Amino acid sequence: ILNVEQSPQSLHVQEGDSTNFTCSFPSSNFYALHWYRWETAKSPEALFVMTLNGDEKKKGRISATLNTKEGYSYLYIKGSQPEDSATYLCALGSGQGGKLIFGQGTELSVKP
Amino acid sequence: DSGVTQTPKHLITATGQRVTLRCSPRSGDLSVYWYQQSLDQGLQFLIQYYNGEERAKGNILERFSAQQFPDLHSELNLSSLELGDSALYFCASSVRDSGNEQFFGPGTRLTVL
């Protein structure tokens, strides 16, 4: 059974702080790694899809890196804002069609 | 708004009943996915259809079934409902059958009493 682990489970930061989260996955089963942002009462929104070892993606203040050999991805948020408060999910593409295996998420709370 | 629509938004029913959840993908997307979000679980993949054919299957219960129609909308049928089936059911769509981002609908909140 493929397992995707995210840490920390939750994070509370002050506005302006930079922060990062980790997603770990079995390196032998890598196909693609997805990051999603999920705000309360909304639906998950895609941030990045990463497929190559060493991939780095950026969208505004949010960026992500990927290491498929050691089985981890980092998501960074620079200068957190209250509107960044959400649960950040990573998901492993299993290679079985588009099936995604999601981690439990990191819940980020940014206080003004 | 992702462009994926799901109906109904909320559904309350009794144990033993059968319900149908409906999903319309974004225009141009051929893949439809169904996920379940229970209180004590993360997002669990149920099933994927690509252009009308089943493409991938997760731990979907035998009481659950799905299909994708020629117009590419999809329905998830849940039968002999149990209390534990209460959950948020998401539909997502993507252009291809794998490797690209999935766009999630607003979800259907199912409550089984």
Side-chain angles (χ1 to χ4, degrees), chain A residues 87-109:
Chain A
T87 296
Y88 291 83
L89 298 167
C90 73
L92 184 66
S94 63
Q96 298 172 43
K99 175 180 176 180
L100 293 180
I101 299 161
F102 279 85
Q104 291 290 95
T106 292
E107 188 178 351
L108 174 67
S109 173

PDB file of all heavy atoms in Angstrom, chain A residues 87-109:
ATOM      1  N   THR A  87      -5.459  24.269   3.970  1.00  0.00           N
ATOM      2  CA  THR A  87      -4.779  22.987   4.085  1.00  0.00           C
ATOM      3  C   THR A  87      -4.068  22.714   2.776  1.00  0.00           C
ATOM      4  O   THR A  87      -4.661  22.852   1.703  1.00  0.00           O
ATOM      5  CB  THR A  87      -5.787  21.859   4.400  1.00  0.00           C
ATOM      6  OG1 THR A  87      -6.367  22.100   5.678  1.00  0.00           O
ATOM      7  CG2 THR A  87      -5.090  20.504   4.409  1.00  0.00           C
ATOM      8  N   TYR A  88      -2.794  22.351   2.868  1.00  0.00           N
ATOM      9  CA  TYR A  88      -1.991  22.075   1.678  1.00  0.00           C
ATOM     10  C   TYR A  88      -1.809  20.564   1.573  1.00  0.00           C
ATOM     11  O   TYR A  88      -1.285  19.922   2.482  1.00  0.00           O
ATOM     12  CB  TYR A  88      -0.662  22.814   1.761  1.00  0.00           C
ATOM     13  CG  TYR A  88      -0.870  24.305   1.628  1.00  0.00           C
ATOM     14  CD1 TYR A  88      -1.230  25.075   2.736  1.00  0.00           C
ATOM     15  CD2 TYR A  88      -0.759  24.936   0.400  1.00  0.00           C
ATOM     16  CE1 TYR A  88      -1.473  26.439   2.613  1.00  0.00           C
ATOM     17  CE2 TYR A  88      -0.990  26.302   0.270  1.00  0.00           C
ATOM     18  CZ  TYR A  88      -1.355  27.040   1.389  1.00  0.00           C
ATOM     19  OH  TYR A  88      -1.594  28.386   1.255  1.00  0.00           O
ATOM     20  N   LEU A  89      -2.263  20.031   0.455  1.00  0.00           N
ATOM     21  CA  LEU A  89      -2.248  18.589   0.232  1.00  0.00           C
ATOM     22  C   LEU A  89      -1.228  18.231  -0.824  1.00  0.00           C
ATOM     23  O   LEU A  89      -1.116  18.924  -1.833  1.00  0.00           O
ATOM     24  CB  LEU A  89      -3.608  18.112  -0.277  1.00  0.00           C
ATOM     25  CG  LEU A  89      -4.826  18.290   0.621  1.00  0.00           C
ATOM     26  CD1 LEU A  89      -6.099  18.065  -0.168  1.00  0.00           C
ATOM     27  CD2 LEU A  89      -4.768  17.326   1.783  1.00  0.00           C
ATOM     28  N   CYS A  90      -0.502  17.163  -0.596  1.00  0.00           N
ATOM     29  CA  CYS A  90       0.279  16.618  -1.692  1.00  0.00           C
ATOM     30  C   CYS A  90      -0.330  15.276  -2.074  1.00  0.00           C
ATOM     31  O   CYS A  90      -0.990  14.626  -1.260  1.00  0.00           O
ATOM     32  CB  CYS A  90       1.761  16.484  -1.354  1.00  0.00           C
ATOM     33  SG  CYS A  90       2.179  15.161  -0.224  1.00  0.00           S
ATOM     34  N   ALA A  91      -0.140  14.887  -3.308  1.00  0.00           N
ATOM     35  CA  ALA A  91      -0.725  13.643  -3.807  1.00  0.00           C
ATOM     36  C   ALA A  91       0.245  12.991  -4.775  1.00  0.00           C
ATOM     37  O   ALA A  91       0.860  13.665  -5.610  1.00  0.00           O
ATOM     38  CB  ALA A  91      -2.061  13.915  -4.483  1.00  0.00           C
ATOM     39  N   LEU A  92       0.354  11.687  -4.653  1.00  0.00           N
ATOM     40  CA  LEU A  92       1.259  10.917  -5.506  1.00  0.00           C
ATOM     41  C   LEU A  92       0.476  10.318  -6.659  1.00  0.00           C
ATOM     42  O   LEU A  92      -0.554   9.661  -6.439  1.00  0.00           O
ATOM     43  CB  LEU A  92       1.904   9.808  -4.671  1.00  0.00           C
ATOM     44  CG  LEU A  92       2.951   8.939  -5.352  1.00  0.00           C
ATOM     45  CD1 LEU A  92       4.183   9.758  -5.709  1.00  0.00           C
ATOM     46  CD2 LEU A  92       3.326   7.772  -4.449  1.00  0.00           C
ATOM     47  N   GLY A  93       0.932  10.579  -7.860  1.00  0.00           N
ATOM     48  CA  GLY A  93       0.363   9.905  -9.019  1.00  0.00           C
ATOM     49  C   GLY A  93       0.917   8.497  -9.044  1.00  0.00           C
ATOM     50  O   GLY A  93       2.135   8.295  -8.982  1.00  0.00           O
ATOM     51  N   SER A  94       0.018   7.525  -9.139  1.00  0.00           N
ATOM     52  CA  SER A  94       0.431   6.129  -8.970  1.00  0.00           C
ATOM     53  C   SER A  94       0.824   5.452 -10.267  1.00  0.00           C
ATOM     54  O   SER A  94       1.335   4.344 -10.252  1.00  0.00           O
ATOM     55  CB  SER A  94      -0.719   5.342  -8.337  1.00  0.00           C
ATOM     56  OG  SER A  94      -1.829   5.361  -9.225  1.00  0.00           O
ATOM     57  N   GLY A  95       0.540   6.090 -11.391  1.00  0.00           N
ATOM     58  CA  GLY A  95       0.793   5.449 -12.669  1.00  0.00           C
ATOM     59  C   GLY A  95      -0.383   4.629 -13.148  1.00  0.00           C
ATOM     60  O   GLY A  95      -0.377   4.139 -14.274  1.00  0.00           O
ATOM     61  N   GLN A  96      -1.392   4.448 -12.294  1.00  0.00           N
ATOM     62  CA  GLN A  96      -2.625   3.777 -12.710  1.00  0.00           C
ATOM     63  C   GLN A  96      -3.577   4.853 -13.204  1.00  0.00           C
ATOM     64  O   GLN A  96      -4.343   5.428 -12.420  1.00  0.00           O
ATOM     65  CB  GLN A  96      -3.271   3.042 -11.538  1.00  0.00           C
ATOM     66  CG  GLN A  96      -2.439   1.945 -10.938  1.00  0.00           C
ATOM     67  CD  GLN A  96      -3.088   1.404  -9.666  1.00  0.00           C
ATOM     68  OE1 GLN A  96      -4.288   1.199  -9.609  1.00  0.00           O
ATOM     69  NE2 GLN A  96      -2.289   1.228  -8.638  1.00  0.00           N
ATOM     70  N   GLY A  97      -3.514   5.185 -14.469  1.00  0.00           N
ATOM     71  CA  GLY A  97      -4.323   6.287 -14.964  1.00  0.00           C
ATOM     72  C   GLY A  97      -3.996   7.549 -14.190  1.00  0.00           C
ATOM     73  O   GLY A  97      -2.838   7.835 -13.903  1.00  0.00           O
ATOM     74  N   GLY A  98      -5.020   8.287 -13.811  1.00  0.00           N
ATOM     75  CA  GLY A  98      -4.806   9.519 -13.062  1.00  0.00           C
ATOM     76  C   GLY A  98      -5.026   9.373 -11.576  1.00  0.00           C
ATOM     77  O   GLY A  98      -5.163  10.364 -10.861  1.00  0.00           O
ATOM     78  N   LYS A  99      -5.054   8.140 -11.093  1.00  0.00           N
ATOM     79  CA  LYS A  99      -5.296   7.887  -9.667  1.00  0.00           C
ATOM     80  C   LYS A  99      -4.276   8.624  -8.817  1.00  0.00           C
ATOM     81  O   LYS A  99      -3.073   8.498  -9.036  1.00  0.00           O
ATOM     82  CB  LYS A  99      -5.217   6.389  -9.383  1.00  0.00           C
ATOM     83  CG  LYS A  99      -5.346   6.018  -7.907  1.00  0.00           C
ATOM     84  CD  LYS A  99      -5.250   4.509  -7.731  1.00  0.00           C
ATOM     85  CE  LYS A  99      -5.269   4.132  -6.267  1.00  0.00           C
ATOM     86  NZ  LYS A  99      -5.181   2.663  -6.091  1.00  0.00           N
ATOM     87  N   LEU A 100      -4.762   9.395  -7.844  1.00  0.00           N
ATOM     88  CA  LEU A 100      -3.898  10.129  -6.926  1.00  0.00           C
ATOM     89  C   LEU A 100      -4.063   9.562  -5.528  1.00  0.00           C
ATOM     90  O   LEU A 100      -5.174   9.271  -5.086  1.00  0.00           O
ATOM     91  CB  LEU A 100      -4.240  11.615  -6.913  1.00  0.00           C
ATOM     92  CG  LEU A 100      -3.978  12.403  -8.187  1.00  0.00           C
ATOM     93  CD1 LEU A 100      -4.366  13.866  -7.988  1.00  0.00           C
ATOM     94  CD2 LEU A 100      -2.516  12.304  -8.605  1.00  0.00           C
ATOM     95  N   ILE A 101      -2.940   9.441  -4.828  1.00  0.00           N
ATOM     96  CA  ILE A 101      -2.948   9.029  -3.431  1.00  0.00           C
ATOM     97  C   ILE A 101      -2.558  10.249  -2.611  1.00  0.00           C
ATOM     98  O   ILE A 101      -1.425  10.737  -2.714  1.00  0.00           O
ATOM     99  CB  ILE A 101      -1.972   7.875  -3.194  1.00  0.00           C
ATOM    100  CG1 ILE A 101      -2.400   6.676  -4.039  1.00  0.00           C
ATOM    101  CG2 ILE A 101      -1.931   7.500  -1.711  1.00  0.00           C
ATOM    102  CD1 ILE A 101      -1.323   5.669  -4.254  1.00  0.00           C
ATOM    103  N   PHE A 102      -3.520  10.738  -1.829  1.00  0.00           N
ATOM    104  CA  PHE A 102      -3.324  11.986  -1.105  1.00  0.00           C
ATOM    105  C   PHE A 102      -2.722  11.745   0.267  1.00  0.00           C
ATOM    106  O   PHE A 102      -3.017  10.741   0.937  1.00  0.00           O
ATOM    107  CB  PHE A 102      -4.667  12.711  -0.928  1.00  0.00           C
ATOM    108  CG  PHE A 102      -5.093  13.489  -2.130  1.00  0.00           C
ATOM    109  CD1 PHE A 102      -5.790  12.875  -3.165  1.00  0.00           C
ATOM    110  CD2 PHE A 102      -4.790  14.837  -2.246  1.00  0.00           C
ATOM    111  CE1 PHE A 102      -6.178  13.599  -4.279  1.00  0.00           C
ATOM    112  CE2 PHE A 102      -5.172  15.566  -3.357  1.00  0.00           C
ATOM    113  CZ  PHE A 102      -5.874  14.944  -4.378  1.00  0.00           C
ATOM    114  N   GLY A 103      -1.904  12.700   0.711  1.00  0.00           N
ATOM    115  CA  GLY A 103      -1.479  12.752   2.094  1.00  0.00           C
ATOM    116  C   GLY A 103      -2.588  13.371   2.935  1.00  0.00           C
ATOM    117  O   GLY A 103      -3.619  13.799   2.402  1.00  0.00           O
ATOM    118  N   GLN A 104      -2.359  13.421   4.253  1.00  0.00           N
ATOM    119  CA  GLN A 104      -3.374  13.933   5.168  1.00  0.00           C
ATOM    120  C   GLN A 104      -3.405  15.460   5.177  1.00  0.00           C
ATOM    121  O   GLN A 104      -4.341  16.055   5.713  1.00  0.00           O
ATOM    122  CB  GLN A 104      -3.123  13.420   6.586  1.00  0.00           C
ATOM    123  CG  GLN A 104      -3.357  11.933   6.736  1.00  0.00           C
ATOM    124  CD  GLN A 104      -4.817  11.559   6.640  1.00  0.00           C
ATOM    125  OE1 GLN A 104      -5.312  11.190   5.580  1.00  0.00           O
ATOM    126  NE2 GLN A 104      -5.531  11.642   7.729  1.00  0.00           N
ATOM    127  N   GLY A 105      -2.395  16.090   4.623  1.00  0.00           N
ATOM    128  CA  GLY A 105      -2.387  17.545   4.524  1.00  0.00           C
ATOM    129  C   GLY A 105      -1.662  18.239   5.657  1.00  0.00           C
ATOM    130  O   GLY A 105      -1.472  17.669   6.737  1.00  0.00           O
ATOM    131  N   THR A 106      -1.223  19.458   5.394  1.00  0.00           N
ATOM    132  CA  THR A 106      -0.681  20.358   6.414  1.00  0.00           C
ATOM    133  C   THR A 106      -1.610  21.547   6.486  1.00  0.00           C
ATOM    134  O   THR A 106      -1.858  22.223   5.484  1.00  0.00           O
ATOM    135  CB  THR A 106       0.736  20.843   6.051  1.00  0.00           C
ATOM    136  OG1 THR A 106       1.642  19.744   6.106  1.00  0.00           O
ATOM    137  CG2 THR A 106       1.193  21.931   7.022  1.00  0.00           C
ATOM    138  N   GLU A 107      -2.153  21.765   7.691  1.00  0.00           N
ATOM    139  CA  GLU A 107      -3.080  22.884   7.887  1.00  0.00           C
ATOM    140  C   GLU A 107      -2.295  24.120   8.309  1.00  0.00           C
ATOM    141  O   GLU A 107      -1.659  24.131   9.364  1.00  0.00           O
ATOM    142  CB  GLU A 107      -4.105  22.513   8.957  1.00  0.00           C
ATOM    143  CG  GLU A 107      -5.225  23.530   9.094  1.00  0.00           C
ATOM    144  CD  GLU A 107      -6.261  23.103  10.134  1.00  0.00           C
ATOM    145  OE1 GLU A 107      -6.193  21.952  10.605  1.00  0.00           O
ATOM    146  OE2 GLU A 107      -7.099  23.944  10.481  1.00  0.00           O
ATOM    147  N   LEU A 108      -2.313  25.138   7.488  1.00  0.00           N
ATOM    148  CA  LEU A 108      -1.578  26.370   7.767  1.00  0.00           C
ATOM    149  C   LEU A 108      -2.527  27.466   8.224  1.00  0.00           C
ATOM    150  O   LEU A 108      -3.551  27.716   7.588  1.00  0.00           O
ATOM    151  CB  LEU A 108      -0.841  26.840   6.502  1.00  0.00           C
ATOM    152  CG  LEU A 108      -0.141  28.204   6.610  1.00  0.00           C
ATOM    153  CD1 LEU A 108       1.021  28.136   7.592  1.00  0.00           C
ATOM    154  CD2 LEU A 108       0.347  28.686   5.248  1.00  0.00           C
ATOM    155  N   SER A 109      -2.166  28.101   9.322  1.00  0.00           N
ATOM    156  CA  SER A 109      -2.929  29.249   9.815  1.00  0.00           C
ATOM    157  C   SER A 109      -1.972  30.436   9.914  1.00  0.00           C
ATOM    158  O   SER A 109      -0.945  30.348  10.592  1.00  0.00           O
ATOM    159  CB  SER A 109      -3.533  28.916  11.175  1.00  0.00           C
ATOM    160  OG  SER A 109      -4.137  30.052  11.749  1.00  0.00           O
TER     161      SER A 109
END
